[in-house]
Amino acid sequence: MALSVGIVGLPNVGKSTLFNALTRAQNAQAANYPFCTIEPNKAVVPVPDARLDALAALVKPQKIVPATVDFYDIAGLVKGASQGEGLGNKFLAHIRETGVILHVVRCFDDPDVVHVDGSVDPVRDAQIIEAELLIADSQTVESRIERLRKMAKFDKDASARLKAGEALLAHLLAGKPASTVPGSADEGPMAELLAELRPLTAKKMIYCANVDEAGLASGNAYVTALRGLAASAGAQVLTVSAKVEEELGALADDERDEFLTSYGVAESGLGQVIRAGYAALGLISYFTAGPKEVKAWTIEQGWKAPKAASVIHTDFERGFIRAEVIGYAEYVQHKTEAKCKAAGVMRLEGKDYVVRDGDVMHFLFNV
């Protein structure tokens, strides 16, 4: 499994510039006019992880395989997108399958950069996007309700889902996101309907305040206002400069830390987005390490060893016997698997073992 991030925002707020910078893809058109992004853009980006590099330095494998993040950038949304205004609404399907929405909001003044509404107001801008996501979800639920009404005449399960759909629609029309609908956390019709429809407003939202160079280290009044809005929704705000990220992408690896330090920041925008995305979805990484490859695997926090093994191959879960586990710190301390075994820090774990972030694992199975 991989972290997947859908990027949304008004036109001309720096979405495509940020997408290009985060992915170093340079394939999303970015220009100083609305709707310059026409076709949806996707990029698969390796996850920077110093632990993977450290393990590879010790093991010296033939291949190093990092975890990846899928980024999707769609055309900017505007007020009325759900009624056909602008171009963005037709592309919302491309982010319906993503795990996290990265909501890019303009938080800088520049008379040379056109704003689709004529002025910079991050709270207003964010609320426009969120209203359009609510409307898009409402339309999706309405369509499903029509189908369920026909099915409910002959199917009791459909009847239960119909009631859940009607409750969800009423919730959305009241201006409330699908993430807060009653019954979403239960094993019942509402949870089943949400899993089936994957509403946009049920996804974890991360706000990305796109600032100029002056606002990167300490923010500005626009960022403060956006943080107030995010706090009411329990969402996180990342402060990123798309322009600085663009410049960062052109530098060699050994120059990037120095460049970031010159702006008073410790982590790149890509690092911030990945860390926030993993935290929002409760994701962690474990590693496999051998002479052929050292690889990072993404799983959900709380998964037991057999389920964690399934991301390598379903046979590993089906025929799971046990796992050999070395903690990352112990592996680095003793430097080789053989020395870890001699020091007694390699553990044999069974089906009930809950995998920890950074575990170095080897699975034994039989099918």
Side-chain angles (χ1 to χ4, degrees), residues 257 260-261 263-268 272:
D257 288 343
L260 288 171
T261 301
Y263 282 101
V265 294
E267 188 175 20
S268 70
Q272 290 185 61

Side-chain angles (χ1 to χ4, degrees), residues 211-220 223 239:
V211 300
D212 56 17
E213 296 177 10
L216 190 54
S218 56
N220 54 37
V223 177
T239 303

Side-chain angles (χ1 to χ4, degrees), residues 2 11 38 62 64 67 81 125 133 136 204 210 228 280 306 314 320 324 363:
I38 303 300
Q62 297 174 20
I64 304 170
D125 294 352
L133 297 182
K204 297 291 186 179
N210 184 17
T314 53
F320 179 89
E324 296 175 346
F363 297 101

Side-chain angles (χ1 to χ4, degrees), residues 181-360:
V181 68
S184 60
D186 302 330
E187 293 184 3
M190 183 61 77
E192 293 173 3
L193 185 66
L194 292 174
E196 180 183 354
L197 298 181
R198 305 202 69 174
L200 298 166
T201 60
K203 299 182 184 303
K204 297 291 186 179
M205 174 83 77
I206 300 170
Y207 292 94
C208 181
N210 184 17
V211 300
D212 56 17
E213 296 177 10
L216 190 54
S218 56
N220 54 37
Y222 292 141
V223 177
T224 300
L226 184 61
R227 289 189 188 281
L229 176 67
S232 65
Q236 185 174 357
V237 177
L238 308 179
T239 303
V240 175
S241 171
K243 182 179 179 182
V244 170
E245 290 295 318
E246 197 171 34
E247 295 174 2
L248 189 67
L251 298 177
D253 290 343
D254 58 354
E255 298 175 314
R256 291 188 186 119
D257 288 343
E258 183 179 349
F259 183 77
L260 288 171
T261 301
S262 72
Y263 282 101
V265 294
E267 188 175 20
S268 70
L270 177 61
Q272 290 185 61
V273 170
I274 291 174
R275 183 166 49 81
Y278 267 62
L281 296 179
L283 301 178
I284 61 173
S285 295
Y286 75 85
F287 305 99
T288 51
K292 289 188 176 180
E293 70 175 23
V294 171
K295 185 168 183 175
W297 302 88
T298 304
I299 63 170
E300 293 182 19
Q301 190 169 13
W303 277 13
K304 294 182 179 180
K307 181 69 173 176
S310 72
V311 301
I312 300 177
H313 197 287
T314 53
D315 283 349
F316 281 35
E317 180 180 22
R318 186 159 57 92
F320 179 89
I321 299 174
R322 65 181 180 273
E324 296 175 346
V325 184
I326 305 169
Y328 168 76
E330 286 78 15
Y331 200 112
V332 171
Q333 177 185 354
H334 295 286
K335 303 188 184 307
T336 69
E337 184 177 306
K339 290 181 180 179
C340 286
K341 187 179 295 186
V345 296
M346 175 186 282
R347 310 186 309 274
L348 294 180
E349 301 287 359
K351 294 182 177 180
D352 291 330
Y353 176 68
V354 177
V355 177
R356 301 171 186 169
D357 188 37
D359 277 349
V360 183

Side-chain angles (χ1 to χ4, degrees), residues 102-165:
L102 184 68
H103 185 169
V104 181
V105 184
R106 177 172 168 176
C107 291
F108 65 91
D109 290 310
D110 187 337
D112 294 328
V113 179
V114 178
H115 190 290
V116 71
D117 285 324
S119 63
V120 178
D121 184 335
V123 172
R124 176 204 62 202
D125 294 352
Q127 290 173 337
I128 288 172
I129 297 298
E130 286 158 23
E132 292 304 320
L133 297 182
L134 279 168
I135 294 170
D137 279 348
S138 299
Q139 293 172 342
T140 299
V141 176
E142 284 175 343
S143 297
R144 187 51 51 91
I145 284 174
E146 290 304 313
R147 290 177 54 190
L148 289 171
R149 280 178 179 154
K150 296 175 183 178
M151 296 169 60
K153 298 175 182 178
F154 313 101
D155 186 340
K156 291 182 179 180
D157 290 338
S159 180
R161 289 200 303 276
L162 173 60
K163 291 181 180 178

Side-chain angles (χ1 to χ4, degrees), residues 64-87:
I64 304 170
V65 185
T68 58
V69 178
D70 296 336
F71 282 99
Y72 295 83
D73 173 41
I74 66 168
L77 298 170
V78 296
K79 187 175 183 179
S82 52
Q83 281 77 45
E85 294 293 329
L87 299 172

